[in-house]
Amino acid sequence: MALGGAGTAQAAGTGSLTLTPGTVSSASGLAVSVTGLSGFSGLPSSVALLLQPGFMSSAKSVSVLCTAGQASSSTCPAASQIGTGSVGISFFGSPTSVPLTAYLGDPLQSGDIASVILSGSLAGTTVAVSGRLFVPAGGGLELLLSGFPNVPVSLDSLAISVQGTHTVTTTTTKTVTKYVWKGKGKHRKKHKVKKKVKKTVKTVYSVITNPSMCAGMWTGTATMNYSSGQNTVPLSATCTP
């Protein structure tokens, strides 16, 4: 979903997408970088990072999710951290890079997979921006960030790297009925025996799971939405079957 503002669309900037590993159906680390942004003043009203259909994500990829209260107070648990990043801004005419920490949180809307919280410090103040992680109508995977602070800066670049898996072990017990023969000759009879059987299943959940098909490249877009227009930068990464 790209929330366009009034005005014309631009394609200023260069984007890169890296998946490690870049093999089909793999739990993967993802890195998105968009640099050389220009043409708009101020921060965008929203940033949409969209991956093509086939990509998946799970809220169970961390052992604990950051709550809305923890996100607003910048106290997300360490176990909810999924990555790092940075944002390049022009602050009163001077270029500045702000380090970011990424956490996985409770969904912001019903039907979403989860939320992603980006936390950083600007001018001595810790700022957290939350975004929706969801499957858009056309399929794929989208992170829609909004609620940026109202500060006199312009966006020059954005980089986010996320990864992480969490293994959940589930043990179930069921009763199985078997028949066994006992005795000899005419005294040989079939007896019913009930036995409890335990089954243990380990399921691995990942922040990013690659598509199950590869035609050489996987694609996406990074869209910055402003009141005066929209800037969309294409993303692509090499994949292998």
Side-chain angles (χ1 to χ4, degrees):
M1 177 172 63
L3 304 179
T8 59
Q10 297 187 17
T14 302
S16 69
L17 173 64
T18 304
L19 293 154
T20 308
T23 51
V24 296
S25 303
S26 295
S28 180
L30 176 146
V32 173
S33 177
V34 184
T35 59
L37 301 177
S38 63
F40 294 97
S41 61
L43 291 177
S45 58
S46 66
V47 174
L49 301 177
L50 175 65
L51 298 177
Q52 71 167 62
F55 281 96
M56 295 184 294
S57 180
S58 173
K60 295 181 180 181
S61 55
V62 294
S63 59
V64 60
L65 292 170
C66 182
T67 66
Q70 291 169 330
S72 62
S73 61
S74 299
T75 57
C76 287
S80 66
Q81 182 177 345
I82 57 171
T84 58
S86 66
V87 59
I89 56 176
S90 293
F91 189 49
F92 291 108
S94 300
T96 302
S97 180
V98 179
L100 301 174
T101 305
Y103 301 92
L104 199 65
D106 290 331
L108 298 179
Q109 293 187 21
S110 177
D112 288 357
I113 298 169
S115 62
V116 174
I117 301 99
L118 298 180
S119 178
S121 181
L122 179 62
T125 302
T126 300
V127 178
V129 175
S130 296
R132 296 175 56 206
L133 182 63
F134 63 102
V135 177
L141 193 62
E142 180 168 347
L143 172 60
L144 180 63
L145 297 159
S146 59
F148 293 95
N150 184 18
V151 290
V153 301
S154 295
L155 181 65
D156 298 328
S157 65
L158 176 66
I160 301 175
S161 297
V162 297
Q163 62 178 353
T165 59
H166 180 226
T167 301
V168 176
T169 301
T170 304
T171 300
T172 58
T173 302
K174 66 177 181 179
T175 301
V176 178
T177 301
K178 293 184 177 181
Y179 292 90
V180 296
W181 289 94
K182 293 183 179 180
K184 295 182 179 180
K186 65 179 182 179
H187 300 292
R188 185 173 173 82
K189 295 182 179 180
K190 186 165 65 173
H191 295 263
K192 182 190 295 185
V193 177
K194 292 185 177 181
K195 183 179 180 181
K196 290 185 176 180
V197 177
K198 287 186 177 181
K199 183 179 180 181
T200 300
V201 177
K202 291 185 177 182
T203 305
V204 179
Y205 298 94
S206 178
V207 174
I208 297 293
T209 299
N210 293 336
S212 60
M213 299 180 66
C214 166
M217 299 289 288
W218 287 322
T219 61
T221 56
T223 300
M224 283 60 66
N225 297 286
Y226 297 84
S227 59
S228 58
Q230 184 182 85
N231 186 15
T232 297
V233 179
L235 305 170
S236 63
T238 301
C239 62
T240 56

mmCIF file of all heavy atoms in Angstrom, residues 13 28 34 38 49 54 77 85 93 97 99 114 120 132 138 142 144 152 168 202 228 239:
data_model
loop_
_atom_site.group_PDB
_atom_site.id
_atom_site.type_symbol
_atom_site.label_atom_id
_atom_site.label_comp_id
_atom_site.label_asym_id
_atom_site.label_seq_id
_atom_site.Cartn_x
_atom_site.Cartn_y
_atom_site.Cartn_z
ATOM 1 N N GLY A 13 16.745 8.797 -5.650
ATOM 2 C CA GLY A 13 17.395 7.925 -4.691
ATOM 3 C C GLY A 13 17.726 6.569 -5.277
ATOM 4 O O GLY A 13 17.278 6.195 -6.362
ATOM 5 N N SER A 28 15.350 -15.961 6.568
ATOM 6 C CA SER A 28 16.370 -15.086 6.011
ATOM 7 C C SER A 28 16.541 -13.816 6.830
ATOM 8 O O SER A 28 15.617 -13.351 7.513
ATOM 9 C CB SER A 28 15.992 -14.719 4.572
ATOM 10 O OG SER A 28 16.942 -13.869 3.988
ATOM 11 N N VAL A 34 18.044 2.740 1.456
ATOM 12 C CA VAL A 34 17.635 3.734 0.472
ATOM 13 C C VAL A 34 18.452 4.992 0.734
ATOM 14 O O VAL A 34 18.424 5.544 1.838
ATOM 15 C CB VAL A 34 16.129 4.055 0.570
ATOM 16 C CG1 VAL A 34 15.729 5.026 -0.532
ATOM 17 C CG2 VAL A 34 15.298 2.791 0.483
ATOM 18 N N SER A 38 16.075 13.083 -2.137
ATOM 19 C CA SER A 38 16.053 14.539 -2.284
ATOM 20 C C SER A 38 14.741 14.954 -2.920
ATOM 21 O O SER A 38 13.961 14.111 -3.379
ATOM 22 C CB SER A 38 17.224 15.021 -3.147
ATOM 23 O OG SER A 38 17.120 14.491 -4.457
ATOM 24 N N LEU A 49 7.531 0.050 2.969
ATOM 25 C CA LEU A 49 8.483 -0.920 2.411
ATOM 26 C C LEU A 49 7.679 -2.141 2.007
ATOM 27 O O LEU A 49 7.077 -2.810 2.849
ATOM 28 C CB LEU A 49 9.542 -1.290 3.440
ATOM 29 C CG LEU A 49 10.386 -0.137 3.993
ATOM 30 C CD1 LEU A 49 11.349 -0.637 5.061
ATOM 31 C CD2 LEU A 49 11.152 0.569 2.872
ATOM 32 N N GLY A 54 4.828 -13.771 -1.840
ATOM 33 C CA GLY A 54 5.637 -14.946 -1.526
ATOM 34 C C GLY A 54 6.419 -14.790 -0.245
ATOM 35 O O GLY A 54 6.726 -15.780 0.431
ATOM 36 N N PRO A 77 11.326 -4.966 25.470
ATOM 37 C CA PRO A 77 12.223 -5.989 25.992
ATOM 38 C C PRO A 77 13.292 -6.394 24.982
ATOM 39 O O PRO A 77 13.054 -6.385 23.772
ATOM 40 C CB PRO A 77 11.299 -7.170 26.300
ATOM 41 C CG PRO A 77 9.940 -6.775 25.905
ATOM 42 C CD PRO A 77 9.948 -5.417 25.341
ATOM 43 N N GLY A 85 19.260 -0.324 12.505
ATOM 44 C CA GLY A 85 19.155 0.494 11.309
ATOM 45 C C GLY A 85 19.736 1.867 11.545
ATOM 46 O O GLY A 85 20.389 2.121 12.578
ATOM 47 N N GLY A 93 20.539 22.029 8.339
ATOM 48 C CA GLY A 93 21.538 22.169 7.296
ATOM 49 C C GLY A 93 22.732 21.260 7.426
ATOM 50 O O GLY A 93 23.575 21.210 6.522
ATOM 51 N N SER A 97 23.495 11.269 11.151
ATOM 52 C CA SER A 97 23.024 9.887 11.094
ATOM 53 C C SER A 97 22.538 9.471 12.478
ATOM 54 O O SER A 97 23.249 9.631 13.470
ATOM 55 C CB SER A 97 24.144 8.949 10.633
ATOM 56 O OG SER A 97 23.679 7.607 10.576
ATOM 57 N N PRO A 99 21.325 6.326 14.733
ATOM 58 C CA PRO A 99 21.204 4.869 14.838
ATOM 59 C C PRO A 99 19.807 4.465 15.305
ATOM 60 O O PRO A 99 19.179 5.169 16.101
ATOM 61 C CB PRO A 99 22.264 4.489 15.894
ATOM 62 C CG PRO A 99 23.155 5.677 15.997
ATOM 63 C CD PRO A 99 22.307 6.866 15.689
ATOM 64 N N ALA A 114 2.064 -8.155 12.882
ATOM 65 C CA ALA A 114 2.692 -7.589 14.083
ATOM 66 C C ALA A 114 2.947 -6.119 13.801
ATOM 67 O O ALA A 114 2.490 -5.566 12.782
ATOM 68 C CB ALA A 114 3.997 -8.323 14.403
ATOM 69 N N GLY A 120 15.147 5.467 18.201
ATOM 70 C CA GLY A 120 16.415 6.175 18.050
ATOM 71 C C GLY A 120 16.431 7.418 18.921
ATOM 72 O O GLY A 120 15.425 7.771 19.551
ATOM 73 N N ARG A 132 2.996 -0.745 10.846
ATOM 74 C CA ARG A 132 2.206 -1.958 10.647
ATOM 75 C C ARG A 132 2.975 -2.945 9.770
ATOM 76 O O ARG A 132 3.485 -2.572 8.717
ATOM 77 C CB ARG A 132 0.884 -1.630 9.972
ATOM 78 C CG ARG A 132 -0.065 -0.753 10.768
ATOM 79 C CD ARG A 132 -1.271 -0.415 9.916
ATOM 80 N NE ARG A 132 -1.938 -1.640 9.432
ATOM 81 C CZ ARG A 132 -2.661 -1.698 8.326
ATOM 82 N NH1 ARG A 132 -2.796 -0.631 7.545
ATOM 83 N NH2 ARG A 132 -3.226 -2.844 7.950
ATOM 84 N N GLY A 138 -2.736 -7.125 -2.498
ATOM 85 C CA GLY A 138 -2.153 -7.813 -3.647
ATOM 86 C C GLY A 138 -1.181 -8.911 -3.276
ATOM 87 O O GLY A 138 -0.567 -9.528 -4.152
ATOM 88 N N GLU A 142 4.316 -6.078 3.715
ATOM 89 C CA GLU A 142 4.497 -4.630 3.763
ATOM 90 C C GLU A 142 4.738 -4.148 5.182
ATOM 91 O O GLU A 142 4.100 -4.609 6.142
ATOM 92 C CB GLU A 142 3.273 -3.908 3.190
ATOM 93 C CG GLU A 142 3.415 -2.397 3.214
ATOM 94 C CD GLU A 142 2.364 -1.658 2.404
ATOM 95 O OE1 GLU A 142 1.662 -2.321 1.606
ATOM 96 O OE2 GLU A 142 2.252 -0.434 2.559
ATOM 97 N N LEU A 144 4.509 -0.523 6.965
ATOM 98 C CA LEU A 144 4.052 0.849 6.779
ATOM 99 C C LEU A 144 4.344 1.641 8.045
ATOM 100 O O LEU A 144 3.678 1.471 9.071
ATOM 101 C CB LEU A 144 2.559 0.879 6.456
ATOM 102 C CG LEU A 144 1.943 2.258 6.239
ATOM 103 C CD1 LEU A 144 2.580 2.944 5.025
ATOM 104 C CD2 LEU A 144 0.430 2.146 6.066
ATOM 105 N N PRO A 152 12.277 19.975 12.362
ATOM 106 C CA PRO A 152 12.756 20.641 11.134
ATOM 107 C C PRO A 152 13.942 19.924 10.492
ATOM 108 O O PRO A 152 15.060 20.439 10.458
ATOM 109 C CB PRO A 152 13.146 22.030 11.644
ATOM 110 C CG PRO A 152 13.584 21.787 13.050
ATOM 111 C CD PRO A 152 12.682 20.705 13.582
ATOM 112 N N VAL A 168 9.629 -23.147 18.482
ATOM 113 C CA VAL A 168 8.590 -23.502 19.456
ATOM 114 C C VAL A 168 8.425 -25.015 19.448
ATOM 115 O O VAL A 168 8.194 -25.619 18.395
ATOM 116 C CB VAL A 168 7.253 -22.819 19.116
ATOM 117 C CG1 VAL A 168 6.163 -23.276 20.083
ATOM 118 C CG2 VAL A 168 7.411 -21.307 19.166
ATOM 119 N N LYS A 202 8.889 -29.671 16.536
ATOM 120 C CA LYS A 202 9.596 -28.395 16.637
ATOM 121 C C LYS A 202 9.289 -27.551 15.398
ATOM 122 O O LYS A 202 9.521 -27.991 14.275
ATOM 123 C CB LYS A 202 11.103 -28.622 16.767
ATOM 124 C CG LYS A 202 11.521 -29.240 18.095
ATOM 125 C CD LYS A 202 13.036 -29.321 18.224
ATOM 126 C CE LYS A 202 13.439 -29.877 19.574
ATOM 127 N NZ LYS A 202 14.916 -29.931 19.735
ATOM 128 N N SER A 228 3.267 16.878 -0.366
ATOM 129 C CA SER A 228 3.442 17.483 -1.686
ATOM 130 C C SER A 228 3.749 16.470 -2.786
ATOM 131 O O SER A 228 3.936 16.841 -3.941
ATOM 132 C CB SER A 228 4.569 18.517 -1.640
ATOM 133 O OG SER A 228 5.779 17.909 -1.207
ATOM 134 N N CYS A 239 18.110 -14.026 -6.259
ATOM 135 C CA CYS A 239 17.695 -15.208 -5.520
ATOM 136 C C CYS A 239 18.164 -16.470 -6.235
ATOM 137 O O CYS A 239 18.498 -16.449 -7.411
ATOM 138 C CB CYS A 239 16.171 -15.232 -5.362
ATOM 139 S SG CYS A 239 15.260 -15.321 -6.914
#
